[in-house]
Protein backbone atom coordinates (compact mmCIF):
# COMPACT_ATOMS: atom_id res chain seq x y z
CA UNK A 1 0.00 0.00 0.00
CA UNK A 2 2.75 2.48 0.92
CA UNK A 3 4.73 1.48 -2.13
CA UNK A 4 1.71 2.10 -4.37
CA UNK A 5 1.11 5.51 -2.77
CA UNK A 6 4.79 6.42 -3.17
CA UNK A 7 4.81 5.33 -6.81
CA UNK A 8 1.57 7.23 -7.45
CA UNK A 9 3.06 10.36 -5.86
CA UNK A 10 6.24 9.91 -7.93
CA UNK A 11 4.29 9.68 -11.16
CA UNK A 12 2.17 12.74 -10.30
CA UNK A 13 5.36 14.70 -9.64
CA UNK A 14 7.21 13.56 -12.76
CA UNK A 15 9.62 11.09 -11.14
CA UNK A 16 9.79 8.45 -13.86
CA UNK A 17 11.31 4.98 -13.48
CA UNK A 18 12.03 5.31 -9.75
CA UNK A 19 14.48 2.96 -8.09
CA UNK A 20 12.85 1.21 -5.14
CA UNK A 21 14.90 0.81 -1.97
CA UNK A 22 13.76 -0.93 1.19
CA UNK A 23 15.05 -0.25 4.69
CA UNK A 24 14.49 -2.09 7.95
CA UNK A 25 14.12 0.88 10.30
CA UNK A 26 12.59 4.32 10.42
CA UNK A 27 15.98 5.85 11.19
CA UNK A 28 17.45 4.30 8.02
CA UNK A 29 14.57 5.66 5.95
CA UNK A 30 14.96 9.15 7.40
CA UNK A 31 18.71 9.12 6.87
CA UNK A 32 18.29 8.04 3.24
CA UNK A 33 15.80 10.84 2.61
CA UNK A 34 18.05 13.37 4.33
CA UNK A 35 20.96 12.18 2.18
CA UNK A 36 18.90 12.89 -0.93
CA UNK A 37 18.35 9.26 -1.94
CA UNK A 38 14.61 9.62 -2.39
CA UNK A 39 11.20 10.08 -0.83
CA UNK A 40 9.16 8.11 1.68
CA UNK A 41 5.76 7.96 3.35
CA UNK A 42 6.12 8.26 7.12
CA UNK A 43 3.82 9.30 9.99
CA UNK A 44 3.10 13.05 9.96
CA UNK A 45 4.30 13.52 13.54
CA UNK A 46 7.68 12.06 12.64
CA UNK A 47 7.97 14.27 9.56
CA UNK A 48 7.06 17.42 11.51
CA UNK A 49 9.58 16.65 14.25
CA UNK A 50 12.38 15.91 11.76
CA UNK A 51 12.01 19.00 9.59
CA UNK A 52 13.23 21.40 12.27
CA UNK A 53 16.85 22.26 11.52
CA UNK A 54 17.18 19.60 8.82
CA UNK A 55 16.98 19.61 5.05
CA UNK A 56 13.80 17.54 4.92
CA UNK A 57 10.54 18.86 3.49
CA UNK A 58 7.22 17.14 3.87
CA UNK A 59 3.82 17.18 2.24
CA UNK A 60 0.81 15.64 3.94
CA UNK A 61 -1.24 13.14 1.98
CA UNK A 62 -4.79 14.21 1.22
CA UNK A 63 -6.22 10.99 2.59
CA UNK A 64 -5.92 8.91 5.73
CA UNK A 65 -4.14 5.57 5.50
CA UNK A 66 -5.60 2.67 7.46
CA UNK A 67 -3.15 0.62 9.53
CA UNK A 68 -3.91 -2.97 10.55
CA UNK A 69 -1.91 -4.94 13.09
CA UNK A 70 -1.60 -8.70 12.85
CA UNK A 71 -0.89 -10.64 16.02
CA UNK A 72 -0.27 -14.35 16.31
CA UNK A 73 -3.37 -16.32 17.34
CA UNK A 74 -3.76 -16.56 21.14
CA UNK A 75 -0.94 -14.12 21.69
CA UNK A 76 -1.40 -10.97 23.74
CA UNK A 77 -0.59 -7.57 22.30
CA UNK A 78 2.92 -6.47 23.24
CA UNK A 79 2.95 -3.50 25.62
CA UNK A 80 4.65 -1.30 23.00
CA UNK A 81 1.89 -2.04 20.50
CA UNK A 82 -0.80 -1.23 23.09
CA UNK A 83 0.84 2.13 23.78
CA UNK A 84 1.17 2.86 20.05
CA UNK A 85 -2.51 2.10 19.45
CA UNK A 86 -3.48 4.35 22.37
CA UNK A 87 -1.31 7.09 20.88
CA UNK A 88 -3.01 6.74 17.49
CA UNK A 89 -6.48 6.88 19.05
CA UNK A 90 -5.66 10.24 20.68
CA UNK A 91 -4.97 11.82 17.28
Amino acid sequence: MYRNKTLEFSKENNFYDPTIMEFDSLESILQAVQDGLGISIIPADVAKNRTEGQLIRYKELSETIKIDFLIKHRKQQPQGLKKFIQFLKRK
Side-chain angles (χ1 to χ4, degrees):
M1 177 194 299
Y2 294 119
R3 178 178 290 187
N4 290 340
K5 286 289 176 196
T6 304
L7 291 173
E8 182 180 308
F9 180 85
S10 297
K11 187 179 263 187
E12 290 170 1
N13 290 276
N14 302 318
F15 302 136
Y16 297 103
D17 296 323
T19 299
I20 298 171
M21 298 168 49
E22 294 186 21
F23 296 93
D24 61 355
S25 72
L26 182 58
E27 282 302 318
S28 297
I29 293 168
L30 293 170
Q31 189 62 52
V33 170
Q34 186 172 338
D35 291 345
L37 296 177
I39 62 173
S40 181
I41 296 177
I42 58 173
D45 287 359
V46 172
K48 290 174 186 173
N49 289 336
R50 296 300 177 121
T51 56
E52 297 174 17
Q54 295 188 24
L55 300 175
I56 295 177
R57 293 182 302 177
Y58 75 93
K59 176 180 178 181
E60 290 196 30
L61 296 176
S62 58
E63 62 196 66
T64 301
I65 295 178
K66 181 181 174 189
I67 300 173
D68 293 317
F69 298 99
L70 302 176
I71 301 169
K72 187 175 180 178
H73 184 63
R74 295 188 180 156
K75 185 108 172 151
Q76 289 189 356
Q77 290 181 354
Q79 192 63 28
L81 178 57
K82 286 180 184 178
K83 288 182 179 182
F84 183 62
I85 291 171
Q86 289 171 356
F87 169 77
L88 291 175
K89 287 182 177 179
R90 289 191 298 247
K91 295 291 173 180

